[in-house]
Amino acid sequence: MSGSFDEFYAAHFGPLVVQLQAGTGDFAEAQDVVQEAFCRAWGRWDRLIGYDDPVAWVRRVAWNLAISRWRRTRTALRFVARQRVESVAGPDPDRVALTAALARLPVKQRRAVALFYLADLSTNEIAQECGVPESTVRSWLHRARAALLKDLSDPVEEIQRGSVG
């Protein structure tokens, strides 16, 4: 076969795309793999021109590319299918109320509450970590508890207990 690569490409690109589209079922995919096969042929054109049927080489490369893409897609889909879907219920109303009440506390009080109740540190350990006297930490915790009690108390429950006058 003699001639330029441009003539070879112009004569065979369309028919190869049609063939690959029939195999892949996707016109864009067929165009992509045929284009890639021609790009690879371009780099080997001096050898391919001596083949009995260089179109067969381009077709084989295009089919191999299509199969490789299909395998990669299949592997990716299998991976995705094996992933566990985590379904987590939203926070309950009490948690939302607590989070909002904590957010309204001054930062130092909030930190003291978190360290005392969540990190299980003593007031002495919190004082050392914050660089303040232990009495300051006790004051922060007292004020934080009072504010949280006020924010989180249920008015109906308070009336039923007779605490609200």
Side-chain angles (χ1 to χ4, degrees), residues 12-142:
H12 299 290
F13 180 79
L16 286 173
V17 169
V18 170
Q19 293 168 30
L20 270 289
Q21 180 185 2
T24 63
D26 184 339
F27 183 70
E29 180 76 14
Q31 285 180 317
D32 286 349
V33 295
V34 170
Q35 186 65 38
E36 177 63 27
F38 272 106
C39 288
R40 292 180 184 192
W42 168 252
R44 296 171 178 80
W45 184 241
D46 56 335
R47 279 185 281 147
L48 285 178
I49 200 164
Y51 286 11
D52 290 337
D53 189 4
V55 176
W57 186 92
V58 174
R59 183 183 308 111
R60 178 75 264 160
V61 170
W63 277 108
N64 288 347
L65 289 167
I67 290 168
S68 293
R69 286 183 178 194
W70 175 77
R71 285 180 180 151
R72 277 194 302 277
T73 300
R74 181 186 63 182
T75 301
L77 290 174
R78 285 182 179 169
F79 174 77
V80 169
R82 285 192 309 262
Q83 301 309 303
R84 230 177 46 191
V85 176
E86 298 264 344
S87 179
V88 178
D92 64 354
D94 289 341
R95 184 178 187 105
V96 172
L98 176 61
T99 302
L102 285 169
R104 286 188 290 273
L105 291 177
V107 174
K108 291 177 181 180
Q109 290 178 18
R110 190 174 355 163
R111 182 175 182 199
V113 167
L115 293 174
F116 189 78
Y117 290 103
L118 301 177
D120 203 27
L121 297 182
S122 68
T123 54
N124 186 38
E125 292 168 322
I126 296 169
Q128 289 175 1
E129 187 167 315
C130 294
V132 297
E134 186 177 356
S135 60
T136 301
V137 173
R138 286 195 302 267
S139 174
W140 289 344
L141 287 171
H142 175 76

